[in-house]
Amino acid sequence: MPHIRSLGAAVLFAALAIPSGAQGRPTDGYHTNARLTAVLDSIARSKPALVNVSVLATSPGRRPVHVVRLGADDKPAVLILAGAYGPQASSSEVALRIVRDIARDPAASQLLAQRTVYVVPRLNPDAAEGFFGALRWERKGNDAKFDDDRDMADDEDGPDDLNGDGIITMMRVKATDGAWIADATDPALMRRADATKGERGMYRLYVEGRDNDNDGEYNEDAVGGTDISKNFAHNYRFFSENAGLHPFSSEEARGVAEFVSSHDNIAAVYVLGMQDNLIKAWEGRTVPGIGGNPQGTSAGGPYTASLPADNAWFNAVSADFKRITRWNEGPASAADQGDPLSWAYFHMGRFAFGSRVWWPGRAAADSTRRAPTPDPIAAERNDYRWLKANNPAGFVEWQTVQGFTIDGQPVEVGGFAPGATLNPPGSELDSLATRHGNFVRKLVESLPSVVVKDISVTEVGPRVYRIRATVVNDGFLPSNSALGVRSRLPQRVRVEMRLGRDQQLSGGRRMQYINALRGSGGNDSFEWVVVGAPNSTVTLNVGSPHAGLSTQTITLRAR
Protein backbone atom coordinates (compact mmCIF):
# COMPACT_ATOMS: atom_id res chain seq x y z
CA MET A 1 0.00 0.00 0.00
CA PRO A 2 1.41 3.46 -0.86
CA HIS A 3 2.59 5.62 2.01
CA ILE A 4 -0.12 7.87 3.44
CA ARG A 5 1.14 11.41 3.13
CA SER A 6 0.76 13.57 6.23
CA LEU A 7 -1.50 16.38 5.12
CA GLY A 8 -0.83 19.76 6.63
CA ALA A 9 -3.26 20.83 9.34
CA ALA A 10 -3.70 24.22 7.74
CA VAL A 11 -4.83 22.55 4.52
CA LEU A 12 -6.85 19.56 5.63
CA PHE A 13 -8.63 21.22 8.53
CA ALA A 14 -8.73 24.87 7.59
CA ALA A 15 -10.80 27.14 9.78
CA LEU A 16 -14.47 27.23 8.91
CA ALA A 17 -15.74 30.79 8.83
CA ILE A 18 -19.15 31.11 10.46
CA PRO A 19 -20.19 34.64 11.38
CA SER A 20 -20.68 35.03 15.11
CA GLY A 21 -19.87 37.62 17.71
CA ALA A 22 -18.09 37.02 20.97
CA GLN A 23 -21.00 38.66 22.82
CA GLY A 24 -23.77 37.26 20.61
CA ARG A 25 -26.53 34.84 21.47
CA PRO A 26 -25.52 31.41 22.82
CA THR A 27 -26.84 29.78 19.64
CA ASP A 28 -24.87 32.00 17.22
CA GLY A 29 -22.63 29.87 15.02
CA TYR A 30 -24.58 26.70 15.81
CA HIS A 31 -26.73 24.78 13.33
CA THR A 32 -30.35 23.83 13.92
CA ASN A 33 -31.41 20.43 12.60
CA ALA A 34 -32.78 22.04 9.45
CA ARG A 35 -29.60 24.02 8.83
CA LEU A 36 -27.39 21.02 9.51
CA THR A 37 -29.36 18.96 6.98
CA ALA A 38 -29.09 21.74 4.41
CA VAL A 39 -25.33 22.10 4.87
CA LEU A 40 -24.76 18.35 4.53
CA ASP A 41 -26.90 18.26 1.39
CA SER A 42 -24.95 21.16 -0.09
CA ILE A 43 -21.61 19.49 0.62
CA ALA A 44 -22.75 16.20 -0.93
CA ARG A 45 -24.04 17.92 -4.07
CA SER A 46 -20.83 19.91 -4.49
CA LYS A 47 -18.55 16.86 -4.03
CA PRO A 48 -20.53 13.83 -5.22
CA ALA A 49 -17.43 11.77 -5.93
CA LEU A 50 -16.06 12.31 -2.44
CA VAL A 51 -19.05 12.75 -0.12
CA ASN A 52 -22.13 10.62 0.39
CA VAL A 53 -24.87 11.49 2.89
CA SER A 54 -27.49 8.95 3.88
CA VAL A 55 -29.96 8.50 6.72
CA LEU A 56 -28.85 6.16 9.47
CA ALA A 57 -32.12 6.33 11.41
CA THR A 58 -35.16 8.50 11.91
CA SER A 59 -35.90 9.84 15.38
CA PRO A 60 -39.31 9.63 17.06
CA GLY A 61 -39.66 13.31 16.17
CA ARG A 62 -39.26 12.36 12.47
CA ARG A 63 -35.85 14.02 12.26
CA PRO A 64 -33.12 12.31 10.24
CA VAL A 65 -29.94 10.98 11.82
CA HIS A 66 -27.39 11.43 9.06
CA VAL A 67 -24.27 9.44 8.37
CA VAL A 68 -21.68 11.00 6.08
CA ARG A 69 -19.23 8.88 4.15
CA LEU A 70 -16.04 10.56 3.03
CA GLY A 71 -14.25 8.38 0.49
CA ALA A 72 -15.06 4.90 -0.77
CA ASP A 73 -17.06 2.44 1.30
CA ASP A 74 -14.44 -0.32 1.35
CA LYS A 75 -11.28 1.19 2.87
CA PRO A 76 -10.07 0.99 6.50
CA ALA A 77 -12.14 3.56 8.31
CA VAL A 78 -12.59 5.82 11.31
CA LEU A 79 -16.14 6.39 12.56
CA ILE A 80 -16.88 9.69 14.30
CA LEU A 81 -19.97 9.79 16.53
CA ALA A 82 -21.29 13.11 17.84
CA GLY A 83 -24.42 14.65 19.29
CA ALA A 84 -25.64 11.68 21.34
CA TYR A 85 -25.95 13.85 24.46
CA GLY A 86 -28.51 16.51 23.59
CA PRO A 87 -27.18 19.48 25.63
CA GLN A 88 -23.70 19.11 24.09
CA ALA A 89 -24.36 20.98 20.84
CA SER A 90 -20.65 21.68 20.39
CA SER A 91 -19.98 18.04 19.47
CA SER A 92 -22.21 18.30 16.39
CA GLU A 93 -20.56 21.55 15.35
CA VAL A 94 -17.10 20.01 15.51
CA ALA A 95 -18.24 16.98 13.51
CA LEU A 96 -19.92 19.15 10.87
CA ARG A 97 -16.82 21.30 10.42
CA ILE A 98 -14.63 18.23 10.04
CA VAL A 99 -16.88 17.02 7.23
CA ARG A 100 -16.89 20.41 5.52
CA ASP A 101 -13.14 20.94 5.79
CA ILE A 102 -12.26 17.53 4.39
CA ALA A 103 -14.67 18.08 1.51
CA ARG A 104 -13.15 21.47 0.74
CA ASP A 105 -9.54 20.29 0.76
CA PRO A 106 -8.17 19.33 -2.69
CA ALA A 107 -5.51 17.13 -1.07
CA ALA A 108 -8.06 15.10 0.88
CA SER A 109 -8.74 12.89 -2.13
CA GLN A 110 -5.25 11.41 -1.70
CA LEU A 111 -5.96 10.48 1.89
CA LEU A 112 -9.41 9.12 1.08
CA ALA A 113 -8.06 6.99 -1.76
CA GLN A 114 -6.68 4.78 1.00
CA ARG A 115 -8.91 5.48 3.97
CA THR A 116 -12.57 6.18 4.73
CA VAL A 117 -14.10 8.52 7.29
CA TYR A 118 -17.68 8.06 8.47
CA VAL A 119 -19.31 10.85 10.48
CA VAL A 120 -22.60 10.86 12.39
CA PRO A 121 -22.81 14.55 13.27
CA ARG A 122 -25.99 14.55 15.38
CA LEU A 123 -27.13 11.29 16.88
CA ASN A 124 -29.90 12.81 18.99
CA PRO A 125 -31.59 15.49 16.86
CA ASP A 126 -34.76 15.57 18.97
CA ALA A 127 -32.89 16.51 22.15
CA ALA A 128 -30.90 19.15 20.27
CA GLU A 129 -34.12 21.13 19.96
CA GLY A 130 -33.72 22.08 23.62
CA PHE A 131 -30.66 24.14 22.69
CA PHE A 132 -32.35 26.04 19.86
CA GLY A 133 -35.90 26.51 21.12
CA ALA A 134 -37.49 29.73 22.32
CA LEU A 135 -37.10 28.25 25.81
CA ARG A 136 -33.58 26.87 26.17
CA TRP A 137 -32.95 23.96 28.52
CA GLU A 138 -30.70 20.95 28.84
CA ARG A 139 -32.89 18.40 27.16
CA LYS A 140 -31.50 14.87 27.05
CA GLY A 141 -34.25 12.62 25.73
CA ASN A 142 -35.62 12.16 22.24
CA ASP A 143 -39.29 12.64 21.33
CA ALA A 144 -40.36 9.17 22.43
CA LYS A 145 -43.25 9.36 24.85
CA PHE A 146 -42.42 8.06 28.30
CA ASP A 147 -44.24 8.04 31.62
CA ASP A 148 -41.32 8.90 33.90
CA ASP A 149 -43.38 9.13 37.09
CA ARG A 150 -45.64 6.16 36.35
CA ASP A 151 -48.88 8.13 36.71
CA MET A 152 -50.47 6.98 33.44
CA ALA A 153 -49.68 10.31 31.73
CA ASP A 154 -46.76 11.13 29.44
CA ASP A 155 -44.60 14.25 29.56
CA GLU A 156 -47.10 16.24 31.64
CA ASP A 157 -44.69 17.83 34.15
CA GLY A 158 -41.75 19.54 32.49
CA PRO A 159 -39.77 22.66 33.38
CA ASP A 160 -41.25 26.16 33.41
CA ASP A 161 -39.57 29.53 33.02
CA LEU A 162 -40.45 31.08 36.37
CA ASN A 163 -38.37 34.24 36.08
CA GLY A 164 -39.01 34.90 32.38
CA ASP A 165 -35.39 34.91 31.26
CA GLY A 166 -35.94 32.38 28.46
CA ILE A 167 -33.81 29.63 29.98
CA ILE A 168 -34.27 26.83 32.50
CA THR A 169 -31.85 26.72 35.44
CA MET A 170 -32.45 25.48 39.01
CA MET A 171 -34.58 26.57 41.92
CA ARG A 172 -33.78 26.36 45.62
CA VAL A 173 -36.17 26.40 48.56
CA LYS A 174 -35.31 26.55 52.23
CA ALA A 175 -36.40 23.40 54.06
CA THR A 176 -35.48 21.73 57.33
CA ASP A 177 -35.25 18.40 55.54
CA GLY A 178 -33.10 19.77 52.71
CA ALA A 179 -29.84 18.09 51.70
CA TRP A 180 -28.08 21.16 50.32
CA ILE A 181 -26.27 24.20 51.68
CA ALA A 182 -24.79 27.30 50.09
CA ASP A 183 -21.04 27.04 49.79
CA ALA A 184 -19.18 29.19 52.32
CA THR A 185 -16.52 30.32 49.84
CA ASP A 186 -18.74 30.88 46.80
CA PRO A 187 -22.28 31.28 48.16
CA ALA A 188 -23.80 31.13 44.65
CA LEU A 189 -22.79 27.47 44.50
CA MET A 190 -24.74 24.72 46.21
CA ARG A 191 -23.22 21.60 47.69
CA ARG A 192 -24.50 18.67 49.69
CA ALA A 193 -24.24 19.03 53.45
CA ASP A 194 -21.60 16.78 55.02
CA ALA A 195 -23.10 15.26 58.15
CA THR A 196 -19.68 13.94 59.22
CA LYS A 197 -18.64 17.58 59.66
CA GLY A 198 -21.77 18.53 61.56
CA GLU A 199 -23.35 20.30 58.57
CA ARG A 200 -27.14 20.43 58.28
CA GLY A 201 -28.94 20.79 54.98
CA MET A 202 -30.88 24.01 54.50
CA TYR A 203 -32.25 23.80 50.95
CA ARG A 204 -34.01 21.53 48.51
CA LEU A 205 -32.95 21.80 44.87
CA TYR A 206 -35.22 21.33 41.87
CA VAL A 207 -35.13 21.98 38.16
CA GLU A 208 -36.88 25.29 37.54
CA GLY A 209 -40.63 24.82 37.17
CA ARG A 210 -44.02 24.18 38.74
CA ASP A 211 -45.78 21.03 39.89
CA ASN A 212 -47.94 20.88 36.78
CA ASP A 213 -49.62 17.58 37.65
CA ASN A 214 -50.15 18.36 41.36
CA ASP A 215 -48.44 15.20 42.61
CA GLY A 216 -46.03 16.90 45.00
CA GLU A 217 -43.07 16.47 42.62
CA TYR A 218 -41.50 19.07 40.37
CA ASN A 219 -40.58 18.57 36.71
CA GLU A 220 -40.28 14.81 37.09
CA ASP A 221 -41.95 13.97 33.77
CA ALA A 222 -40.61 16.36 31.15
CA VAL A 223 -40.85 16.05 27.39
CA GLY A 224 -38.20 13.64 26.18
CA GLY A 225 -37.87 9.88 26.25
CA THR A 226 -34.51 8.24 25.61
CA ASP A 227 -31.10 9.79 26.12
CA ILE A 228 -29.18 8.20 23.23
CA SER A 229 -25.89 8.55 25.10
CA LYS A 230 -27.24 6.06 27.69
CA ASN A 231 -28.97 3.58 25.34
CA PHE A 232 -26.04 1.41 24.24
CA ALA A 233 -25.42 -2.05 25.64
CA HIS A 234 -22.20 -1.90 27.65
CA ASN A 235 -22.90 -1.47 31.37
CA TYR A 236 -26.44 -0.42 30.51
CA ARG A 237 -28.47 0.70 33.53
CA PHE A 238 -32.04 -0.55 33.45
CA PHE A 239 -34.59 1.85 34.93
CA SER A 240 -32.14 4.76 35.11
CA GLU A 241 -33.37 8.18 34.03
CA ASN A 242 -33.85 8.52 30.25
CA ALA A 243 -31.96 5.25 29.57
CA GLY A 244 -34.81 3.83 27.50
CA LEU A 245 -36.76 0.61 27.87
CA HIS A 246 -33.73 -1.57 27.12
CA PRO A 247 -30.40 -1.34 25.27
CA PHE A 248 -30.90 -0.16 21.69
CA SER A 249 -34.58 0.51 22.29
CA SER A 250 -34.11 3.76 20.36
CA GLU A 251 -33.94 3.81 16.58
CA GLU A 252 -30.94 6.14 16.84
CA ALA A 253 -28.72 3.83 18.94
CA ARG A 254 -29.88 0.76 17.04
CA GLY A 255 -28.99 2.46 13.77
CA VAL A 256 -25.43 2.93 14.95
CA ALA A 257 -25.20 -0.69 16.10
CA GLU A 258 -26.44 -1.98 12.76
CA PHE A 259 -24.10 0.33 10.88
CA VAL A 260 -21.01 -0.80 12.78
CA SER A 261 -22.05 -4.45 12.54
CA SER A 262 -22.35 -4.17 8.77
CA HIS A 263 -19.09 -2.22 8.27
CA ASP A 264 -16.16 -4.48 9.07
CA ASN A 265 -13.85 -1.83 7.66
CA ILE A 266 -14.29 0.37 10.76
CA ALA A 267 -11.00 0.09 12.63
CA ALA A 268 -11.39 2.90 15.16
CA VAL A 269 -14.16 5.03 16.63
CA TYR A 270 -13.89 8.62 17.86
CA VAL A 271 -16.74 9.74 20.10
CA LEU A 272 -17.33 13.43 20.71
CA GLY A 273 -19.36 13.13 23.88
CA MET A 274 -19.37 13.08 27.65
CA GLN A 275 -16.92 10.20 28.14
CA ASP A 276 -13.17 10.78 27.94
CA ASN A 277 -10.22 8.44 27.60
CA LEU A 278 -7.83 10.84 25.86
CA ILE A 279 -7.02 13.34 28.61
CA LYS A 280 -6.90 10.39 31.01
CA ALA A 281 -6.31 7.18 29.10
CA TRP A 282 -8.11 4.03 30.10
CA GLU A 283 -5.97 1.93 32.41
CA GLY A 284 -6.40 -1.72 31.57
CA ARG A 285 -6.35 -4.03 34.56
CA THR A 286 -7.49 -7.48 35.56
CA VAL A 287 -10.73 -7.28 37.53
CA PRO A 288 -12.26 -10.32 39.27
CA GLY A 289 -15.60 -11.25 37.80
CA ILE A 290 -18.72 -12.85 39.25
CA GLY A 291 -17.80 -15.26 42.02
CA GLY A 292 -14.12 -14.52 41.49
CA ASN A 293 -14.18 -16.03 38.01
CA PRO A 294 -12.31 -14.28 35.18
CA GLN A 295 -14.19 -11.53 33.41
CA GLY A 296 -14.91 -12.07 29.74
CA THR A 297 -16.28 -15.57 30.40
CA SER A 298 -19.77 -16.96 30.86
CA ALA A 299 -19.02 -17.58 34.53
CA GLY A 300 -17.30 -14.29 35.30
CA GLY A 301 -19.47 -11.93 33.28
CA PRO A 302 -18.49 -9.12 30.91
CA TYR A 303 -15.34 -7.04 31.08
CA THR A 304 -15.56 -3.84 33.11
CA ALA A 305 -12.04 -2.58 32.40
CA SER A 306 -10.01 -2.41 29.21
CA LEU A 307 -7.44 -5.16 28.78
CA PRO A 308 -3.88 -4.51 29.98
CA ALA A 309 -2.50 -5.53 26.59
CA ASP A 310 -4.20 -2.48 25.06
CA ASN A 311 -2.71 0.00 27.56
CA ALA A 312 0.27 1.00 25.43
CA TRP A 313 -1.95 1.94 22.49
CA PHE A 314 -4.46 3.92 24.54
CA ASN A 315 -1.58 5.75 26.20
CA ALA A 316 0.12 6.50 22.89
CA VAL A 317 -3.04 7.87 21.26
CA SER A 318 -3.74 9.90 24.39
CA ALA A 319 -0.26 11.41 24.11
CA ASP A 320 -0.92 12.26 20.45
CA PHE A 321 -4.21 13.92 21.38
CA LYS A 322 -2.61 16.06 24.08
CA ARG A 323 0.30 17.02 21.86
CA ILE A 324 -1.92 17.95 18.90
CA THR A 325 -4.69 19.74 20.80
CA ARG A 326 -2.47 21.17 23.58
CA TRP A 327 -5.06 20.05 26.13
CA ASN A 328 -3.38 18.38 29.07
CA GLU A 329 -6.19 18.58 31.59
CA GLY A 330 -9.94 18.55 31.46
CA PRO A 331 -13.11 17.51 33.27
CA ALA A 332 -13.58 14.02 34.58
CA SER A 333 -15.17 11.52 32.25
CA ALA A 334 -18.85 10.79 32.71
CA ALA A 335 -19.56 7.25 33.86
CA ASP A 336 -19.34 4.49 31.27
CA GLN A 337 -22.99 3.46 31.44
CA GLY A 338 -24.76 2.66 28.21
CA ASP A 339 -22.56 5.08 26.26
CA PRO A 340 -21.32 4.66 22.67
CA LEU A 341 -17.62 4.94 23.58
CA SER A 342 -17.41 1.94 25.90
CA TRP A 343 -19.80 -0.04 23.67
CA ALA A 344 -17.55 0.43 20.63
CA TYR A 345 -14.61 -1.07 22.52
CA PHE A 346 -16.12 -3.64 24.86
CA HIS A 347 -18.81 -4.98 22.53
CA MET A 348 -17.48 -4.32 19.05
CA GLY A 349 -13.75 -4.78 19.71
CA ARG A 350 -12.70 -1.50 18.07
CA PHE A 351 -10.09 0.87 19.36
CA ALA A 352 -12.36 3.60 20.70
CA PHE A 353 -11.39 7.09 21.81
CA GLY A 354 -13.52 9.76 23.42
CA SER A 355 -13.23 13.47 24.13
CA ARG A 356 -15.37 15.86 26.17
CA VAL A 357 -15.13 18.27 23.17
CA TRP A 358 -15.00 21.58 25.09
CA TRP A 359 -14.90 22.75 28.68
CA PRO A 360 -14.16 25.96 30.59
CA GLY A 361 -10.47 26.53 31.15
CA ARG A 362 -8.68 26.77 34.45
CA ALA A 363 -9.97 29.78 36.37
CA ALA A 364 -7.51 32.32 37.68
CA ALA A 365 -6.49 31.78 41.29
CA ASP A 366 -8.34 33.91 43.84
CA SER A 367 -6.27 34.42 46.99
CA THR A 368 -9.16 36.23 48.68
CA ARG A 369 -11.47 33.21 48.51
CA ARG A 370 -9.70 30.01 49.40
CA ALA A 371 -11.58 26.79 48.72
CA PRO A 372 -11.42 23.92 51.21
CA THR A 373 -9.01 21.04 50.72
CA PRO A 374 -10.21 18.60 49.58
CA ASP A 375 -12.85 20.51 47.70
CA PRO A 376 -16.04 18.48 47.08
CA ILE A 377 -17.20 20.88 44.35
CA ALA A 378 -13.83 21.72 42.78
CA ALA A 379 -15.08 21.27 39.21
CA GLU A 380 -18.19 23.38 39.71
CA ARG A 381 -16.17 26.06 41.50
CA ASN A 382 -13.68 26.30 38.66
CA ASP A 383 -16.48 26.49 36.06
CA TYR A 384 -18.30 29.17 38.06
CA ARG A 385 -15.22 31.36 38.44
CA TRP A 386 -14.20 30.90 34.80
CA LEU A 387 -17.69 31.81 33.56
CA LYS A 388 -17.87 34.86 35.80
CA ALA A 389 -14.62 36.08 34.24
CA ASN A 390 -15.21 35.03 30.63
CA ASN A 391 -18.94 34.53 30.04
CA PRO A 392 -21.00 36.10 32.85
CA ALA A 393 -24.25 35.06 31.19
CA GLY A 394 -23.21 31.44 31.78
CA PHE A 395 -24.28 31.66 35.42
CA VAL A 396 -27.57 33.15 36.62
CA GLU A 397 -27.34 34.67 40.08
CA TRP A 398 -30.04 33.52 42.46
CA GLN A 399 -33.15 35.70 42.53
CA THR A 400 -36.49 35.33 44.29
CA VAL A 401 -39.50 34.53 42.11
CA GLN A 402 -42.32 36.84 43.04
CA GLY A 403 -45.69 35.26 43.81
CA PHE A 404 -44.47 31.65 43.78
CA THR A 405 -43.78 29.52 46.84
CA ILE A 406 -43.21 25.86 47.69
CA ASP A 407 -44.53 24.67 51.06
CA GLY A 408 -45.02 28.32 51.94
CA GLN A 409 -41.36 29.15 51.38
CA PRO A 410 -40.03 31.67 48.81
CA VAL A 411 -38.40 30.16 45.73
CA GLU A 412 -35.11 31.37 44.27
CA VAL A 413 -34.04 30.64 40.69
CA GLY A 414 -30.45 30.55 39.46
CA GLY A 415 -27.42 28.44 38.65
CA PHE A 416 -25.54 27.48 35.51
CA ALA A 417 -27.20 28.47 32.23
CA PRO A 418 -28.14 25.56 29.92
CA GLY A 419 -25.06 24.21 28.14
CA ALA A 420 -22.76 26.91 29.54
CA THR A 421 -20.13 24.39 30.62
CA LEU A 422 -20.50 22.27 27.46
CA ASN A 423 -20.68 24.71 24.56
CA PRO A 424 -18.32 27.59 23.78
CA PRO A 425 -19.37 30.86 22.16
CA GLY A 426 -19.83 30.48 18.42
CA SER A 427 -16.70 32.53 17.81
CA GLU A 428 -14.60 29.68 19.25
CA LEU A 429 -16.08 26.82 17.24
CA ASP A 430 -13.71 27.12 14.29
CA SER A 431 -10.54 26.88 16.37
CA LEU A 432 -12.10 24.12 18.45
CA ALA A 433 -12.91 22.10 15.33
CA THR A 434 -9.39 22.62 13.99
CA ARG A 435 -7.90 20.98 17.08
CA HIS A 436 -10.22 18.00 16.89
CA GLY A 437 -9.79 17.81 13.13
CA ASN A 438 -6.03 17.62 13.42
CA PHE A 439 -6.39 14.76 15.85
CA VAL A 440 -8.79 12.96 13.51
CA ARG A 441 -6.22 13.29 10.72
CA LYS A 442 -3.60 11.69 12.95
CA LEU A 443 -5.97 8.91 13.93
CA VAL A 444 -6.79 8.16 10.30
CA GLU A 445 -3.09 8.00 9.49
CA SER A 446 -2.55 5.65 12.46
CA LEU A 447 -4.90 2.90 11.29
CA PRO A 448 -3.41 -0.55 10.74
CA SER A 449 -2.03 -1.15 7.26
CA VAL A 450 -1.28 -4.76 6.39
CA VAL A 451 1.09 -5.51 3.50
CA VAL A 452 3.02 -8.53 2.21
CA LYS A 453 6.80 -8.32 2.05
CA ASP A 454 9.85 -10.51 1.47
CA ILE A 455 8.24 -13.03 -0.86
CA SER A 456 10.64 -15.80 -1.88
CA VAL A 457 10.19 -18.89 -4.06
CA THR A 458 12.59 -21.82 -3.88
CA GLU A 459 12.48 -24.88 -6.10
CA VAL A 460 12.90 -27.91 -3.83
CA GLY A 461 12.25 -30.58 -6.44
CA PRO A 462 10.64 -31.15 -9.82
CA ARG A 463 7.39 -29.16 -9.87
CA VAL A 464 7.74 -28.53 -6.11
CA TYR A 465 8.23 -24.99 -4.75
CA ARG A 466 8.60 -23.54 -1.27
CA ILE A 467 7.02 -20.10 -0.90
CA ARG A 468 7.84 -17.83 2.00
CA ALA A 469 6.21 -14.46 2.78
CA THR A 470 6.06 -12.02 5.64
CA VAL A 471 2.88 -10.17 6.59
CA VAL A 472 3.70 -6.77 8.04
CA ASN A 473 1.58 -4.10 9.72
CA ASP A 474 2.99 -0.79 8.52
CA GLY A 475 0.36 1.20 10.40
CA PHE A 476 0.69 2.44 13.95
CA LEU A 477 -2.26 0.71 15.63
CA PRO A 478 -2.36 -3.08 15.92
CA SER A 479 -4.49 -4.96 13.44
CA ASN A 480 -6.83 -5.88 16.31
CA SER A 481 -7.18 -4.74 19.89
CA ALA A 482 -6.61 -7.34 22.59
CA LEU A 483 -10.31 -7.22 23.37
CA GLY A 484 -11.08 -7.56 19.68
CA VAL A 485 -9.05 -10.77 19.62
CA ARG A 486 -11.19 -12.12 22.45
CA SER A 487 -14.47 -11.08 20.88
CA ARG A 488 -13.43 -11.97 17.30
CA LEU A 489 -14.59 -8.50 16.26
CA PRO A 490 -13.66 -7.07 13.86
CA GLN A 491 -12.47 -9.79 11.51
CA ARG A 492 -8.89 -10.91 12.08
CA VAL A 493 -6.28 -10.66 9.34
CA ARG A 494 -6.75 -13.58 6.96
CA VAL A 495 -3.90 -15.19 5.04
CA GLU A 496 -5.18 -17.22 2.09
CA MET A 497 -3.19 -19.11 -0.51
CA ARG A 498 -5.24 -19.67 -3.67
CA LEU A 499 -4.10 -22.39 -6.06
CA GLY A 500 -4.80 -23.01 -9.70
CA ARG A 501 -6.66 -25.97 -11.11
CA ASP A 502 -3.63 -28.27 -11.55
CA GLN A 503 -1.81 -27.25 -8.36
CA GLN A 504 -1.66 -28.90 -4.96
CA LEU A 505 -0.69 -27.72 -1.51
CA SER A 506 1.63 -30.23 0.14
CA GLY A 507 2.82 -28.02 3.02
CA GLY A 508 1.28 -25.18 4.96
CA ARG A 509 -2.35 -24.23 5.34
CA ARG A 510 -4.55 -22.87 2.62
CA MET A 511 -6.23 -20.38 4.97
CA GLN A 512 -5.18 -19.11 8.38
CA TYR A 513 -5.76 -16.10 10.61
CA ILE A 514 -3.52 -13.76 12.57
CA ASN A 515 -4.93 -12.77 15.94
CA ALA A 516 -3.16 -9.41 16.02
CA LEU A 517 -0.19 -7.78 14.39
CA ARG A 518 1.25 -5.05 16.58
CA GLY A 519 1.71 -1.70 14.94
CA SER A 520 4.86 -0.09 13.56
CA GLY A 521 6.21 -3.12 11.77
CA GLY A 522 4.71 -6.03 13.63
CA ASN A 523 5.00 -9.09 11.42
CA ASP A 524 4.36 -12.78 11.03
CA SER A 525 6.03 -15.17 8.58
CA PHE A 526 4.37 -17.95 6.57
CA GLU A 527 5.53 -20.84 4.44
CA TRP A 528 3.85 -23.10 1.91
CA VAL A 529 4.97 -25.94 -0.32
CA VAL A 530 3.14 -25.95 -3.65
CA VAL A 531 3.19 -28.59 -6.36
CA GLY A 532 2.58 -27.15 -9.79
CA ALA A 533 3.92 -26.55 -13.25
CA PRO A 534 6.90 -24.19 -13.61
CA ASN A 535 5.90 -20.59 -14.37
CA SER A 536 2.32 -21.18 -13.28
CA THR A 537 1.00 -18.76 -10.69
CA VAL A 538 -0.65 -18.80 -7.28
CA THR A 539 -2.42 -15.93 -5.55
CA LEU A 540 -1.75 -14.80 -1.98
CA ASN A 541 -4.57 -12.75 -0.42
CA VAL A 542 -3.81 -11.12 2.92
CA GLY A 543 -5.67 -8.67 5.10
CA SER A 544 -9.03 -7.72 6.54
CA PRO A 545 -11.49 -4.94 5.72
CA HIS A 546 -10.34 -2.75 8.63
CA ALA A 547 -6.59 -3.34 8.22
CA GLY A 548 -6.28 -3.26 4.44
CA LEU A 549 -6.16 -5.93 1.77
CA SER A 550 -3.11 -7.01 -0.20
CA THR A 551 -3.08 -9.39 -3.15
CA GLN A 552 0.11 -10.85 -4.61
CA THR A 553 0.43 -13.03 -7.71
CA ILE A 554 3.40 -15.36 -7.28
CA THR A 555 5.06 -17.23 -10.14
CA LEU A 556 6.38 -20.72 -9.43
CA ARG A 557 9.99 -20.28 -10.31
CA ALA A 558 13.10 -19.85 -8.25
CA ARG A 559 13.73 -16.23 -7.25
Side-chain angles (χ1 to χ4, degrees), residues 262-492:
S262 63
H263 286 75
D264 285 338
N265 61 321
I266 296 174
V269 179
Y270 184 38
V271 180
L272 297 162
M274 295 300 290
Q275 284 71 28
D276 166 78
N277 66 353
L278 288 169
I279 295 295
K280 180 176 173 51
W282 280 342
E283 182 181 354
R285 60 193 188 279
T286 301
V287 180
I290 300 170
N293 294 301
Q295 288 191 342
T297 64
S298 58
Y303 286 112
T304 59
S306 57
L307 299 192
D310 289 328
N311 279 356
W313 308 105
F314 281 118
N315 286 330
V317 175
S318 170
D320 282 340
F321 178 83
K322 288 187 265 193
R323 174 181 55 81
I324 291 168
T325 64
R326 302 187 301 281
W327 291 319
N328 292 304
E329 60 182 14
S333 174
D336 297 336
Q337 295 179 353
D339 62 285
L341 173 64
S342 59
W343 167 80
Y345 174 74
F346 286 100
H347 283 228
M348 303 309 293
R350 267 59 169 196
F351 279 105
F353 307 98
S355 168
R356 287 289 300 266
V357 187
W358 180 87
W359 51 90
R362 182 184 288 272
D366 187 347
S367 59
T368 66
R369 296 182 298 165
R370 292 189 177 277
T373 303
D375 186 357
I377 57 169
E380 292 89 341
R381 192 184 310 282
N382 178 81
D383 291 349
Y384 169 72
R385 293 182 177 182
W386 187 92
L387 287 169
K388 294 297 288 183
N390 297 276
N391 180 19
F395 191 93
V396 178
E397 297 296 339
W398 296 97
Q399 54 186 299
T400 301
V401 179
Q402 299 299 321
F404 180 69
T405 62
I406 294 179
D407 294 337
Q409 294 292 326
V411 173
E412 294 177 277
V413 170
F416 290 101
T421 62
L422 299 174
N423 305 305
S427 58
E428 298 182 23
L429 289 171
D430 293 338
S431 60
L432 177 68
T434 296
R435 291 188 181 193
H436 285 283
N438 290 341
F439 170 70
V440 168
R441 171 177 56 85
K442 178 63 175 177
L443 183 59
V444 170
E445 293 173 350
S446 298
L447 296 185
S449 179
V450 171
V451 296
V452 179
K453 297 182 178 180
D454 302 328
I455 297 174
S456 67
V457 180
T458 304
E459 187 174 9
V460 295
R463 294 173 49 85
V464 181
Y465 300 87
R466 177 180 291 111
I467 301 173
R468 291 190 175 99
T470 302
V471 180
V472 182
N473 180 7
D474 279 344
F476 175 74
L477 289 173
S479 60
N480 291 79
S481 67
L483 196 140
V485 172
R486 288 298 307 272
S487 65
R488 302 292 180 94
L489 289 172
Q491 178 181 307
R492 295 170 295 164

Side-chain angles (χ1 to χ4, degrees), residues 31-60:
H31 291 72
T32 64
N33 288 312
R35 286 186 62 209
L36 183 143
T37 298
V39 169
L40 292 178
D41 181 65
S42 175
I43 294 172
R45 284 188 287 105
S46 66
K47 299 285 185 177
L50 187 68
V51 182
N52 175 270
V53 179
S54 57
V55 175
L56 185 74
T58 301
S59 73

